[in-house]
DNA sequence: GTCGTTCTAGAATATTCGGAA
DNA sequence: TTTCCGAATATTCTAGAACGA
């Protein structure tokens, strides 16, 4: 049973035009007009004033383009057409016109969701259907009887047998166009309507009809503006944070340099000591034995008079103190004595380099 | 065939994001907030409208305060209790707990609306039930199987057998006060921030009366735009400057690496020298004493005491070996517990500066 | 083979989170805070100023609401999760990971559209799938062989076995939200942040009345706006790149500190050795010459000449002490070119890592 | 005032088509 | 040409708002 693989989507709507997620189609002559209009100024950008004019014209064209629904006024939105078809096609026990032909009556929302929805839409939720009805300005009508499960929706321009009114059922977003639609209703039998619409569209400064469109544009810009400002805010915060990297980098560089100096000094020291000690080592073989003996019996007895003598002869205890004082500047050597097991010091591989 | 009704396009529902745990309900800061709120308008009672605004805000604050006290009572809301009971009472074929007891599963929304709703509520609409669930912060969760028509809801504190958590399931309006506390925790420190913000928010009340014509607003926009552009310019300059940090960082890294090599070499050297020199270590006790005396008279370095202490503690080859062992050990730079464990954390940076 | 077809869906999507048409969930504390704030004045809107205040506060709430995805920043978008699951579940002959696990390879777009799409999405068009991939910043990768029909997509954070990276695969529009989250993290420690957030939230409250006359004025603005947006985009990208400098800086600092500790230890060692060896110094005058010879043949350090000169002049412990003093003081030796010019870089990285 | 019920709208994602770079 | 984006519509879940008890 799982292998049946019914596909309720594609083949089930042979005659209903597709409408789902379909973008508007700016193919009307008006669109072409303004497309050409928008290209017009580009032909002559030699003059600054002409540039500005071009900009304005271009903008007008863009604004009109954005209001595509205007030119689509003659078209029936896919969803509306689908619902209208639905009412002629489907089981009247599920969905039907009301008696007076002004309302949609869904007698069984369950069955509608289960049986109708997947055939005409991409879902099987009655709520999605009602959401779209609301989007297209349908309104729910309370049932006459309270206990009835029927669900009724109506739209002033959605009536049985009045297919001519269907273009007036428009989505909410296209709401602003409705006044113009009303105007067009008056002139709907002549091309004058289109001309009027074009005129009004071409005169964006006209106070009456143009205001709503302007509002829409402004709102869009406001969004962009807000986004921009937010982004700039974020960027500033980030940059503030990043700017301290510079200071820290300088500190790091300074430290690095100091350490380099120290290393150089240590290297020199080690080199000298290495050389010195390698020579001294050969003279010390006997003393090593002595030390070992002494060590075996006790550490506390410093009875090597010779060495003490040498120490006393050092060019001065003061020099020693100076040395320690200077070096003591590098202070802490914190827990150096704190020690744990010390592994065998590995033979230094790089020692020969310093030698 | 029609009965099979595979639904390959069943809706994929959103994932419910992790819920924010409810705070314990500290009340003091809240009172501060509202105290400041109520005081806010009073600061400017030169204006009549502001006085009225003050009154209103104050009233609102008081009302909310009262409401909060009501909410503070740990009672299980009626709806929550009803749903909890419902799950124990009703046909599991209609509504039941999920297997893990964290979710409500309505297996048949139709039957639920028809049979359950009228028994427990005053309606027979599944949507009304879901509306209330949402109101109480339940969230819909996707059912595991796509073809399933089950509807699942969950609430972090609504679990099977956890009747003790039910008081935490609160209506949106009430919940709000507690989450406000969370918000205030984020913006904590004082209500000063909020107050300042609110002041700044209420500030434009005065000049903004009625007349904001297009020109004025456009000017405002222009100002904002100019500001934005200036900010972007500044940010770009800053970023350009910051970008060179990358190169410098690489240089630093290279230097650091080289120094690490040097240090390693020096370390190895020192270890060897330590072994060689350790033989002579025991002869030093008296000289150390002298050094200490000298040091006492001219003490320029702060850490001489430490060094002297170390020297004092050096009693022979054994101690030396220990010390060198520690130093030679340092395999890992990060390890270096001697430095890190130093009681006061701040000296090490200072030391690096003094170097 | 096609005959298998046993319940391909039920076990396949046990936990694929739903993603279709998911509304955001405005449950952040901030949102509730401002929601409640916005409700404050609404309880009495007799005064016009109060109405405006209400509007403003409400707008603040709405602005915050718009940033809802902020809280969802840690979550894996439904589509991303679905695609990830898809790759683990579906026939590798249709869709699979590339060999290195960094790319998606669709071997048969036809079969994908026919067999996979309807199971996971609400359509059966391969183009819709690619549209969504693009929306989530996946990019098509040209196939290695021109004749290959394979279609490859990749995303820097979409890799096999790296489920942890999936939250970084975000929809295009949600990108700025993530950065706002960063900003919030930065600002959430101070009341200043709160003020900034509130102010920014209150910024977009103008958009109501500036409808008219915007058409002409906004022409130039649109260009400026576009430029601004482009600049901000660039800046954001740059900042993203720069932000990683912070982490690297911290690593450098840590290394530097460790090295400083090591140097200090080595210095102490050398100091002690200096003291110790100074006892034997007088016995080695001849050895100095030897050291000089050695140095002449292998000169790694730039300052060895100077040091050798000093060594030549060393006549006893006093000279040693002077040397130590100078070296220990080390003022500003120019930056250790020996380290920079170090020829072999490879041993050190390994060592630092092991450290 | 609070809660429940109902209808509608908001907001985010998904799907489609055309078009731009 | 290919690849990717814009924009309109669709779907889903949640929230707003009005009204009544």
């Amino acid at each position: 049973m799982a292998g049946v693989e019914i596909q309720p989507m594609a083949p089930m709507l042979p005659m209903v035009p597709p409408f789902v997620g379909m973008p508007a189609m700016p193919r009307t002559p008006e669109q072409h007009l303004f497309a050409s209009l928008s290209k017009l100024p580009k032909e002559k950008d030699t003059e600054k004033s002409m540039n500005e004019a071009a900009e304005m014209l271009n903008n007008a064209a863009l604004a009109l383009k954005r209001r595509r629904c205007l030119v689509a006024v003659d078209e029936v939105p896919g969803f509306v057409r689908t619902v209208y078809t639905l009412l002629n096609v489907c089981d009247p026990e599920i969905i039907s016109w009301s008696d007076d032909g002004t309302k949609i009556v869904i007698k069984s929302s369950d069955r509608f969701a289960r049986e109708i929805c997947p055939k005409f839409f991409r879902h099987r939720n009655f709520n999605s259907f009602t959401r779209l009805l609301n989007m297209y300005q349908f309104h729910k009508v309370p049932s006459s009887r309270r206990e009835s499960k029927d669900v009724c929706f109506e739209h002033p321009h959605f009536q049985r047998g009045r297919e001519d009114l269907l273009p007036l059922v428009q989505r909410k977003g296209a709401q602003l166009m409705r006044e113009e639609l009303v105007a067009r209703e008056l002139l709907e039998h002549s091309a004058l309507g289109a001309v009027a619409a074009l005129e009004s569209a071409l005169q964006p400064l006209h106070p009456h009809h143009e205001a709503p469109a302007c509002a829409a544009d402004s709102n869009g810009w406001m969004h962009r503006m807000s986004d921009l400002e937010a982004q700039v805010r974020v960027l500033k915060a980030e940059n503030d944070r990043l700017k301290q990297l510079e200071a820290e980098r300088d500190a790091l560089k300074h430290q690095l340099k100091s350490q380099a100096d120290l290393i150089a000094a240590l290297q020199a020291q080690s080199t000298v000591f290495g050389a010195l000690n390698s020579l001294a080592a050969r003279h010390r073989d006997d003393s090593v034995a002595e030390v070992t003996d002494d060590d075996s019996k006790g550490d506390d007895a410093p009875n090597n008079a010779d060495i003490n003598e040498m120490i006393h002869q050092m060019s001065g205890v003061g020099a020693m103190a100076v040395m320690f004082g200077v070096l003591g500047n590098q202070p802490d050597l914190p827990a150096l004595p704190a020690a744990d097991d010390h592994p065998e010091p590995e033979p230094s591989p790089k020692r020969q380099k310093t030698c």
Side-chain angles (χ1 to χ4, degrees), chain A:
Chain A
M1 69 186 277
V4 177
E5 279 290 341
I6 290 184
Q7 284 118 30
M9 292 166 38
M12 289 206 174
L13 293 180
M15 39 184 42
V16 178
F19 69 95
V20 169
M22 188 169 59
M25 312 178 199
R27 276 172 278 163
T28 59
E30 290 91 337
Q31 197 273 332
H32 285 300
L33 167 62
F34 291 108
S36 55
L37 270 181
S38 67
K39 276 179 205 155
L40 239 178
K42 289 192 176 175
E43 299 177 355
K44 44 182 79 174
D45 44 358
T46 55
E47 216 31 45
K48 186 177 183 179
S49 59
M50 274 325 284
N51 265 336
E52 294 179 5
E55 216 169 20
M56 294 175 79
L57 276 176
N58 204 2
N59 242 22
L62 288 176
L64 269 188
K65 230 192 232 172
R66 208 175 314 135
R67 292 157 58 187
R68 273 182 292 199
C69 38
L70 196 152
V71 302
V73 125
D74 296 331
E75 301 172 10
V76 179
F79 173 73
V80 178
R81 171 67 66 188
T82 298
V83 174
Y84 195 81
T85 303
L86 239 171
L87 284 161
N88 293 330
V89 163
C90 292
D91 184 355
E93 289 305 308
I94 300 177
I95 182 172
S96 67
W97 287 105
S98 64
D99 290 342
D100 58 357
T102 64
K103 289 182 279 295
I104 309 169
V105 180
I106 297 106
K107 296 189 173 57
S108 169
S109 57
D110 300 345
R111 289 188 62 195
F112 184 87
R114 279 200 312 271
E115 305 174 17
I116 310 295
C117 277
K119 293 192 173 89
F120 291 85
F121 312 102
R122 285 193 297 258
H123 61 84
R124 43 182 67 246
N125 308 313
F126 189 70
N127 282 339
S128 295
F129 179 64
T130 63
R131 182 70 191 90
L132 221 32
L133 284 177
N134 280 323
M135 196 81 99
Y136 282 89
Q137 312 250 278
F138 285 77
H139 287 279
K140 197 171 185 178
V141 185
S143 253
S144 52
R145 300 175 318 230
R146 197 69 188 128
E147 67 276 13
S148 168
K149 283 214 316 284
D150 294 359
V151 181
C152 297
F153 280 89
E154 68 177 358
H155 186 288
H157 298 301
F158 192 80
Q159 301 170 20
R160 178 172 52 195
R162 294 301 304 274
E163 203 168 342
D164 56 305
L165 296 180
L166 291 188
L168 300 178
V169 182
Q170 291 288 335
R171 196 173 233 260
K172 262 273 173 56
Q175 174 70 13
L176 358 138
M177 313 313 302
R178 276 200 65 207
E179 297 95 278
E180 290 188 1
L181 284 178
V182 174
R184 275 201 72 253
E185 270 184 294
L186 298 178
L187 311 172
E188 80 183 324
H189 295 303
S190 72
L192 220 62
V195 173
L198 280 173
E199 280 178 352
S200 70
L202 277 175
Q203 313 231 345
L205 295 184
H206 196 284
H208 197 49
H209 289 280
E210 200 53 28
C214 243
D217 286 347
S218 299
N219 283 337
W221 288 11
M222 281 309 301
H223 277 99
R224 289 172 68 189
M225 179 74 89
S226 301
D227 288 344
L228 260 185
E229 281 168 333
Q231 288 179 48
V232 166
R233 219 164 39 244
V234 170
L235 282 170
K236 272 170 85 171
E238 285 177 1
N239 264 29
D240 285 341
R241 190 163 51 84
L242 288 169
K243 264 185 289 186
Q244 70 178 3
L245 282 177
E246 274 190 331
E248 297 190 357
R249 174 210 56 189
D250 291 336
L252 279 176
K253 266 166 86 174
H254 190 251
Q255 282 182 31
L256 206 49
K257 192 166 78 59
S258 300
Q259 288 198 9
D261 294 339
L262 280 179
I263 288 175
L266 286 169
Q267 221 168 12
Q269 261 181 276
S270 296
T271 303
V272 173
F273 289 150
L276 294 178
N277 288 322
S278 62
L279 292 176
R282 52 179 75 152
H283 299 302
R284 267 187 312 218
D285 290 338
D286 48 349
S287 67
V288 165
E290 286 183 23
V291 166
T292 307
D293 289 340
D294 289 343
D295 192 64
S296 65
K297 76 184 170 198
D299 300 330
D300 295 336
N303 42 15
N304 198 327
D306 294 335
I307 293 180
N308 286 335
E309 187 64 22
M310 286 162 57
I311 291 172
H312 276 294
Q313 289 173 359
M314 282 194 312
S315 70
V317 186
M320 200 64 177
V322 166
M323 179 184 83
F324 274 47
V326 169
L327 292 173
N329 260 344
Q330 278 84 33
D332 295 357
L333 297 187
L336 276 188
D340 21 1
D341 51 343
H342 49 291
E344 208 50 31
E346 71 282 357
S348 74
K350 296 179 183 170
R351 189 170 179 241
Q352 64 278 9
K353 173 177 67 180
T354 60
C355 290

